[in-house]
mmCIF file of all heavy atoms in Angstrom:
data_model
loop_
_atom_site.group_PDB
_atom_site.id
_atom_site.type_symbol
_atom_site.label_atom_id
_atom_site.label_comp_id
_atom_site.label_asym_id
_atom_site.label_seq_id
_atom_site.Cartn_x
_atom_site.Cartn_y
_atom_site.Cartn_z
ATOM 1 N N ARG G 1 97.881 99.138 86.795
ATOM 2 C CA ARG G 1 97.309 99.272 88.139
ATOM 3 C C ARG G 1 97.112 100.741 88.513
ATOM 4 O O ARG G 1 96.145 101.096 89.187
ATOM 5 C CB ARG G 1 98.218 98.587 89.152
ATOM 6 C CG ARG G 1 97.674 98.563 90.575
ATOM 7 C CD ARG G 1 98.691 97.921 91.512
ATOM 8 N NE ARG G 1 98.929 96.524 91.196
ATOM 9 C CZ ARG G 1 98.248 95.524 91.708
ATOM 10 N NH1 ARG G 1 97.274 95.757 92.569
ATOM 11 N NH2 ARG G 1 98.529 94.277 91.382
ATOM 12 N N PHE G 2 98.045 101.590 88.064
ATOM 13 C CA PHE G 2 97.972 103.008 88.423
ATOM 14 C C PHE G 2 97.491 103.881 87.266
ATOM 15 O O PHE G 2 97.668 105.111 87.297
ATOM 16 C CB PHE G 2 99.334 103.498 88.914
ATOM 17 C CG PHE G 2 99.713 102.952 90.259
ATOM 18 C CD1 PHE G 2 100.567 101.867 90.370
ATOM 19 C CD2 PHE G 2 99.192 103.502 91.419
ATOM 20 C CE1 PHE G 2 100.907 101.345 91.607
ATOM 21 C CE2 PHE G 2 99.524 102.995 92.662
ATOM 22 C CZ PHE G 2 100.383 101.912 92.763
ATOM 23 N N ALA G 3 96.908 103.282 86.261
ATOM 24 C CA ALA G 3 96.393 104.049 85.132
ATOM 25 C C ALA G 3 95.351 105.055 85.615
ATOM 26 O O ALA G 3 94.512 104.747 86.455
ATOM 27 C CB ALA G 3 95.779 103.115 84.100
ATOM 28 N N GLY G 4 95.430 106.266 85.080
ATOM 29 C CA GLY G 4 94.485 107.306 85.467
ATOM 30 C C GLY G 4 94.917 108.121 86.662
ATOM 31 O O GLY G 4 94.291 109.137 86.986
ATOM 32 N N ARG G 5 95.987 107.706 87.355
ATOM 33 C CA ARG G 5 96.487 108.485 88.482
ATOM 34 C C ARG G 5 97.297 109.664 87.972
ATOM 35 O O ARG G 5 97.743 109.707 86.833
ATOM 36 C CB ARG G 5 97.362 107.608 89.389
ATOM 37 C CG ARG G 5 96.620 106.462 90.055
ATOM 38 C CD ARG G 5 95.804 106.926 91.238
ATOM 39 N NE ARG G 5 96.663 107.399 92.310
ATOM 40 C CZ ARG G 5 97.110 106.614 93.303
ATOM 41 N NH1 ARG G 5 96.772 105.341 93.347
ATOM 42 N NH2 ARG G 5 97.872 107.122 94.255
ATOM 43 N N ASP G 6 97.521 110.653 88.820
ATOM 44 C CA ASP G 6 98.280 111.838 88.439
ATOM 45 C C ASP G 6 99.678 111.449 87.957
ATOM 46 O O ASP G 6 100.292 110.514 88.461
ATOM 47 C CB ASP G 6 98.411 112.795 89.619
ATOM 48 C CG ASP G 6 97.084 113.436 89.998
ATOM 49 O OD1 ASP G 6 96.170 113.434 89.150
ATOM 50 O OD2 ASP G 6 96.974 113.916 91.136
ATOM 51 N N SER G 7 100.183 112.202 86.983
ATOM 52 C CA SER G 7 101.543 111.990 86.507
ATOM 53 C C SER G 7 102.530 112.764 87.380
ATOM 54 O O SER G 7 102.137 113.586 88.206
ATOM 55 C CB SER G 7 101.669 112.426 85.047
ATOM 56 O OG SER G 7 101.349 113.806 84.905
ATOM 57 N N LEU G 8 103.813 112.482 87.187
ATOM 58 C CA LEU G 8 104.860 113.089 87.994
ATOM 59 C C LEU G 8 105.810 113.882 87.116
ATOM 60 O O LEU G 8 106.032 113.542 85.947
ATOM 61 C CB LEU G 8 105.669 111.996 88.709
ATOM 62 C CG LEU G 8 104.921 111.047 89.628
ATOM 63 C CD1 LEU G 8 105.830 109.898 90.038
ATOM 64 C CD2 LEU G 8 104.415 111.789 90.854
ATOM 65 N N THR G 9 106.396 114.929 87.668
ATOM 66 C CA THR G 9 107.485 115.632 87.004
ATOM 67 C C THR G 9 108.789 115.034 87.478
ATOM 68 O O THR G 9 109.145 115.122 88.661
ATOM 69 C CB THR G 9 107.455 117.143 87.314
ATOM 70 O OG1 THR G 9 106.226 117.697 86.837
ATOM 71 C CG2 THR G 9 108.621 117.854 86.652
ATOM 72 N N LEU G 10 109.508 114.384 86.573
ATOM 73 C CA LEU G 10 110.762 113.713 86.886
ATOM 74 C C LEU G 10 111.802 114.083 85.840
ATOM 75 O O LEU G 10 111.521 114.849 84.915
ATOM 76 C CB LEU G 10 110.547 112.191 86.914
ATOM 77 C CG LEU G 10 109.563 111.662 87.959
ATOM 78 C CD1 LEU G 10 109.255 110.193 87.707
ATOM 79 C CD2 LEU G 10 110.118 111.859 89.357
ATOM 80 N N THR G 11 112.992 113.540 85.971
ATOM 81 C CA THR G 11 114.082 113.849 85.056
ATOM 82 C C THR G 11 114.110 112.849 83.914
ATOM 83 O O THR G 11 114.009 111.628 84.131
ATOM 84 C CB THR G 11 115.429 113.822 85.798
ATOM 85 O OG1 THR G 11 115.380 114.733 86.892
ATOM 86 C CG2 THR G 11 116.570 114.212 84.873
ATOM 87 N N SER G 12 114.289 113.341 82.704
ATOM 88 C CA SER G 12 114.445 112.476 81.542
ATOM 89 C C SER G 12 115.865 111.938 81.497
ATOM 90 O O SER G 12 116.837 112.700 81.593
ATOM 91 C CB SER G 12 114.153 113.254 80.254
ATOM 92 O OG SER G 12 114.619 112.550 79.120
ATOM 93 N N ASN G 13 116.006 110.626 81.345
ATOM 94 C CA ASN G 13 117.333 110.035 81.191
ATOM 95 C C ASN G 13 117.976 110.406 79.863
ATOM 96 O O ASN G 13 119.199 110.310 79.713
ATOM 97 C CB ASN G 13 117.251 108.510 81.301
ATOM 98 C CG ASN G 13 117.232 108.024 82.732
ATOM 99 O OD1 ASN G 13 118.177 108.261 83.480
ATOM 100 N ND2 ASN G 13 116.167 107.343 83.113
ATOM 101 N N GLU G 14 117.174 110.848 78.919
ATOM 102 C CA GLU G 14 117.698 111.216 77.611
ATOM 103 C C GLU G 14 118.203 112.659 77.576
ATOM 104 O O GLU G 14 119.258 112.942 77.011
ATOM 105 C CB GLU G 14 116.619 111.040 76.533
ATOM 106 C CG GLU G 14 116.319 109.597 76.183
ATOM 107 C CD GLU G 14 115.564 108.869 77.298
ATOM 108 O OE1 GLU G 14 114.683 109.500 77.930
ATOM 109 O OE2 GLU G 14 115.856 107.682 77.537
ATOM 110 N N THR G 15 117.469 113.591 78.188
ATOM 111 C CA THR G 15 117.816 115.011 78.080
ATOM 112 C C THR G 15 118.383 115.604 79.363
ATOM 113 O O THR G 15 119.013 116.662 79.328
ATOM 114 C CB THR G 15 116.586 115.844 77.679
ATOM 115 O OG1 THR G 15 115.630 115.827 78.772
ATOM 116 C CG2 THR G 15 115.937 115.279 76.424
ATOM 117 N N GLY G 16 118.132 114.960 80.502
ATOM 118 C CA GLY G 16 118.538 115.528 81.786
ATOM 119 C C GLY G 16 117.612 116.620 82.278
ATOM 120 O O GLY G 16 117.858 117.227 83.323
ATOM 121 N N LEU G 17 116.526 116.875 81.542
ATOM 122 C CA LEU G 17 115.578 117.935 81.879
ATOM 123 C C LEU G 17 114.289 117.327 82.418
ATOM 124 O O LEU G 17 114.058 116.117 82.320
ATOM 125 C CB LEU G 17 115.288 118.786 80.639
ATOM 126 C CG LEU G 17 116.510 119.432 79.970
ATOM 127 C CD1 LEU G 17 116.082 120.137 78.681
ATOM 128 C CD2 LEU G 17 117.199 120.406 80.918
ATOM 129 N N ASN G 18 113.436 118.181 82.971
ATOM 130 C CA ASN G 18 112.159 117.711 83.499
ATOM 131 C C ASN G 18 111.269 117.181 82.388
ATOM 132 O O ASN G 18 111.242 117.709 81.271
ATOM 133 C CB ASN G 18 111.430 118.843 84.220
ATOM 134 C CG ASN G 18 112.036 119.147 85.573
ATOM 135 O OD1 ASN G 18 112.830 118.372 86.098
ATOM 136 N ND2 ASN G 18 111.665 120.272 86.154
ATOM 137 N N THR G 19 110.533 116.133 82.729
ATOM 138 C CA THR G 19 109.553 115.567 81.820
ATOM 139 C C THR G 19 108.406 115.023 82.655
ATOM 140 O O THR G 19 108.552 114.798 83.857
ATOM 141 C CB THR G 19 110.176 114.451 80.954
ATOM 142 O OG1 THR G 19 109.246 114.036 79.965
ATOM 143 C CG2 THR G 19 110.547 113.239 81.806
ATOM 144 N N ARG G 20 107.265 114.839 82.042
ATOM 145 C CA ARG G 20 106.121 114.250 82.748
ATOM 146 C C ARG G 20 106.110 112.751 82.509
ATOM 147 O O ARG G 20 106.279 112.285 81.388
ATOM 148 C CB ARG G 20 104.808 114.869 82.255
ATOM 149 C CG ARG G 20 104.663 116.352 82.534
ATOM 150 C CD ARG G 20 104.602 116.668 84.012
ATOM 151 N NE ARG G 20 103.369 116.198 84.641
ATOM 152 C CZ ARG G 20 103.106 116.333 85.940
ATOM 153 N NH1 ARG G 20 103.998 116.896 86.749
ATOM 154 N NH2 ARG G 20 101.967 115.894 86.445
ATOM 155 N N ARG G 21 105.926 111.995 83.611
ATOM 156 C CA ARG G 21 105.899 110.554 83.535
ATOM 157 C C ARG G 21 104.622 110.031 84.176
ATOM 158 O O ARG G 21 104.203 110.509 85.229
ATOM 159 C CB ARG G 21 107.094 109.952 84.286
ATOM 160 C CG ARG G 21 108.482 110.303 83.751
ATOM 161 C CD ARG G 21 108.772 109.583 82.438
ATOM 162 N NE ARG G 21 108.469 108.165 82.467
ATOM 163 C CZ ARG G 21 109.257 107.225 83.039
ATOM 164 N NH1 ARG G 21 110.380 107.583 83.652
ATOM 165 N NH2 ARG G 21 108.925 105.969 82.990
ATOM 166 N N ALA G 22 104.026 109.019 83.568
ATOM 167 C CA ALA G 22 102.885 108.348 84.185
ATOM 168 C C ALA G 22 103.333 107.697 85.491
ATOM 169 O O ALA G 22 104.431 107.131 85.573
ATOM 170 C CB ALA G 22 102.308 107.310 83.239
ATOM 171 N N LEU G 23 102.485 107.782 86.517
ATOM 172 C CA LEU G 23 102.862 107.288 87.835
ATOM 173 C C LEU G 23 103.256 105.816 87.801
ATOM 174 O O LEU G 23 104.297 105.421 88.349
ATOM 175 C CB LEU G 23 101.704 107.508 88.817
ATOM 176 C CG LEU G 23 101.918 106.967 90.236
ATOM 177 C CD1 LEU G 23 103.108 107.646 90.900
ATOM 178 C CD2 LEU G 23 100.656 107.147 91.072
ATOM 179 N N GLY G 24 102.455 104.984 87.172
ATOM 180 C CA GLY G 24 102.746 103.552 87.166
ATOM 181 C C GLY G 24 104.058 103.221 86.481
ATOM 182 O O GLY G 24 104.810 102.352 86.936
ATOM 183 N N GLU G 25 104.367 103.916 85.392
ATOM 184 C CA GLU G 25 105.631 103.673 84.694
ATOM 185 C C GLU G 25 106.820 104.091 85.555
ATOM 186 O O GLU G 25 107.838 103.397 85.606
ATOM 187 C CB GLU G 25 105.633 104.432 83.364
ATOM 188 C CG GLU G 25 104.613 103.932 82.358
ATOM 189 C CD GLU G 25 104.563 104.800 81.110
ATOM 190 O OE1 GLU G 25 105.339 105.784 81.055
ATOM 191 O OE2 GLU G 25 103.766 104.492 80.208
ATOM 192 N N ALA G 26 106.692 105.227 86.229
ATOM 193 C CA ALA G 26 107.781 105.699 87.079
ATOM 194 C C ALA G 26 107.991 104.765 88.277
ATOM 195 O O ALA G 26 109.133 104.436 88.630
ATOM 196 C CB ALA G 26 107.498 107.116 87.560
ATOM 197 N N LEU G 27 106.891 104.321 88.895
ATOM 198 C CA LEU G 27 107.025 103.419 90.038
ATOM 199 C C LEU G 27 107.624 102.090 89.614
ATOM 200 O O LEU G 27 108.392 101.477 90.375
ATOM 201 C CB LEU G 27 105.668 103.203 90.695
ATOM 202 C CG LEU G 27 105.074 104.399 91.435
ATOM 203 C CD1 LEU G 27 103.722 104.032 92.035
ATOM 204 C CD2 LEU G 27 106.005 104.923 92.523
ATOM 205 N N ARG G 28 107.298 101.619 88.431
ATOM 206 C CA ARG G 28 107.889 100.365 87.927
ATOM 207 C C ARG G 28 109.412 100.469 87.933
ATOM 208 O O ARG G 28 110.115 99.548 88.373
ATOM 209 C CB ARG G 28 107.355 100.088 86.519
ATOM 210 C CG ARG G 28 107.977 98.887 85.813
ATOM 211 C CD ARG G 28 107.253 98.650 84.486
ATOM 212 N NE ARG G 28 107.846 97.577 83.713
ATOM 213 C CZ ARG G 28 108.670 97.766 82.685
ATOM 214 N NH1 ARG G 28 108.994 99.001 82.305
ATOM 215 N NH2 ARG G 28 109.158 96.730 82.026
ATOM 216 N N GLU G 29 109.922 101.599 87.480
ATOM 217 C CA GLU G 29 111.375 101.783 87.435
ATOM 218 C C GLU G 29 111.949 102.041 88.822
ATOM 219 O O GLU G 29 113.033 101.546 89.163
ATOM 220 C CB GLU G 29 111.712 102.922 86.476
ATOM 221 C CG GLU G 29 111.334 102.613 85.037
ATOM 222 C CD GLU G 29 111.459 103.819 84.127
ATOM 223 O OE1 GLU G 29 111.854 104.900 84.617
ATOM 224 O OE2 GLU G 29 111.161 103.686 82.927
ATOM 225 N N ARG G 30 111.244 102.814 89.637
ATOM 226 C CA ARG G 30 111.718 103.081 91.003
ATOM 227 C C ARG G 30 111.832 101.785 91.799
ATOM 228 O O ARG G 30 112.844 101.527 92.453
ATOM 229 C CB ARG G 30 110.763 104.050 91.697
ATOM 230 C CG ARG G 30 111.111 104.313 93.164
ATOM 231 C CD ARG G 30 110.162 105.315 93.819
ATOM 232 N NE ARG G 30 110.486 105.456 95.235
ATOM 233 C CZ ARG G 30 111.425 106.261 95.733
ATOM 234 N NH1 ARG G 30 112.147 106.997 94.900
ATOM 235 N NH2 ARG G 30 111.664 106.340 97.016
ATOM 236 N N TYR G 31 110.789 100.979 91.736
ATOM 237 C CA TYR G 31 110.801 99.735 92.491
ATOM 238 C C TYR G 31 111.857 98.766 91.952
ATOM 239 O O TYR G 31 112.458 98.001 92.714
ATOM 240 C CB TYR G 31 109.428 99.090 92.478
ATOM 241 C CG TYR G 31 108.341 99.901 93.170
ATOM 242 C CD1 TYR G 31 106.995 99.578 93.021
ATOM 243 C CD2 TYR G 31 108.661 100.994 93.978
ATOM 244 C CE1 TYR G 31 106.002 100.307 93.666
ATOM 245 C CE2 TYR G 31 107.682 101.732 94.610
ATOM 246 C CZ TYR G 31 106.344 101.394 94.446
ATOM 247 O OH TYR G 31 105.361 102.123 95.068
ATOM 248 N N ALA G 32 112.108 98.798 90.645
ATOM 249 C CA ALA G 32 113.176 97.971 90.078
ATOM 250 C C ALA G 32 114.526 98.378 90.656
ATOM 251 O O ALA G 32 115.386 97.517 90.933
ATOM 252 C CB ALA G 32 113.185 98.098 88.557
ATOM 253 N N GLU G 33 114.740 99.687 90.861
ATOM 254 C CA GLU G 33 115.993 100.140 91.467
ATOM 255 C C GLU G 33 116.121 99.643 92.903
ATOM 256 O O GLU G 33 117.213 99.247 93.343
ATOM 257 C CB GLU G 33 116.069 101.668 91.439
ATOM 258 C CG GLU G 33 116.348 102.257 90.070
ATOM 259 C CD GLU G 33 116.913 103.666 90.135
ATOM 260 O OE1 GLU G 33 117.494 104.032 91.180
ATOM 261 O OE2 GLU G 33 116.783 104.401 89.139
ATOM 262 N N ILE G 34 115.029 99.680 93.653
ATOM 263 C CA ILE G 34 115.081 99.205 95.036
ATOM 264 C C ILE G 34 115.394 97.719 95.075
ATOM 265 O O ILE G 34 116.198 97.250 95.900
ATOM 266 C CB ILE G 34 113.752 99.517 95.756
ATOM 267 C CG1 ILE G 34 113.577 101.038 95.909
ATOM 268 C CG2 ILE G 34 113.696 98.829 97.120
ATOM 269 C CD1 ILE G 34 112.238 101.465 96.471
ATOM 270 N N THR G 35 114.789 96.950 94.180
ATOM 271 C CA THR G 35 115.051 95.510 94.127
ATOM 272 C C THR G 35 116.498 95.234 93.751
ATOM 273 O O THR G 35 117.137 94.320 94.301
ATOM 274 C CB THR G 35 114.079 94.834 93.142
ATOM 275 O OG1 THR G 35 112.747 94.919 93.675
ATOM 276 C CG2 THR G 35 114.442 93.378 92.902
ATOM 277 N N ALA G 36 117.053 96.018 92.817
ATOM 278 C CA ALA G 36 118.456 95.833 92.435
ATOM 279 C C ALA G 36 119.389 96.165 93.607
ATOM 280 O O ALA G 36 120.389 95.472 93.838
ATOM 281 C CB ALA G 36 118.787 96.698 91.226
ATOM 282 N N MET G 37 119.073 97.219 94.330
ATOM 283 C CA MET G 37 119.859 97.566 95.514
ATOM 284 C C MET G 37 119.785 96.447 96.541
ATOM 285 O O MET G 37 120.803 96.059 97.147
ATOM 286 C CB MET G 37 119.344 98.883 96.107
ATOM 287 C CG MET G 37 120.037 99.330 97.366
ATOM 288 S SD MET G 37 119.442 100.943 97.965
ATOM 289 C CE MET G 37 117.750 100.527 98.450
ATOM 290 N N ASP G 38 118.596 95.926 96.753
ATOM 291 C CA ASP G 38 118.393 94.817 97.689
ATOM 292 C C ASP G 38 119.247 93.614 97.277
ATOM 293 O O ASP G 38 119.891 92.978 98.117
ATOM 294 C CB ASP G 38 116.901 94.470 97.698
ATOM 295 C CG ASP G 38 116.539 93.398 98.705
ATOM 296 O OD1 ASP G 38 116.291 93.741 99.872
ATOM 297 O OD2 ASP G 38 116.494 92.211 98.311
ATOM 298 N N ARG G 39 119.275 93.308 95.994
ATOM 299 C CA ARG G 39 120.063 92.167 95.505
ATOM 300 C C ARG G 39 121.561 92.398 95.738
ATOM 301 O O ARG G 39 122.302 91.474 96.105
ATOM 302 C CB ARG G 39 119.787 91.932 94.028
ATOM 303 C CG ARG G 39 120.521 90.720 93.464
ATOM 304 C CD ARG G 39 120.118 90.403 92.034
ATOM 305 N NE ARG G 39 120.347 91.521 91.140
ATOM 306 C CZ ARG G 39 119.377 92.257 90.596
ATOM 307 N NH1 ARG G 39 118.110 91.986 90.848
ATOM 308 N NH2 ARG G 39 119.675 93.255 89.783
ATOM 309 N N ALA G 40 122.025 93.642 95.535
ATOM 310 C CA ALA G 40 123.438 93.947 95.764
ATOM 311 C C ALA G 40 123.801 93.748 97.237
ATOM 312 O O ALA G 40 124.885 93.242 97.561
ATOM 313 C CB ALA G 40 123.738 95.380 95.318
#
């Protein structure tokens, strides 16, 4: 859905350093965290 949109500079879970992430992939994980919080 968000293909072609600007990417984001976020933290890599593997290195702890900045990395570039595709917007749609990052939002998929962000929204999953919100849903998990909601469930808790």
Side-chain angles (χ1 to χ4, degrees):
R1 185 183 296 270
F2 289 99
R5 296 282 294 268
D6 291 341
S7 60
L8 302 170
T9 299
L10 298 170
T11 303
S12 165
N13 278 299
E14 287 71 38
T15 68
L17 303 175
N18 285 346
T19 187
R20 296 295 291 178
R21 297 288 312 282
L23 177 61
E25 294 175 0
L27 290 180
R28 175 174 176 260
E29 295 171 1
R30 176 178 176 84
Y31 296 167
E33 286 201 23
I34 293 174
T35 293
M37 178 177 67
D38 184 86
R39 183 174 58 251

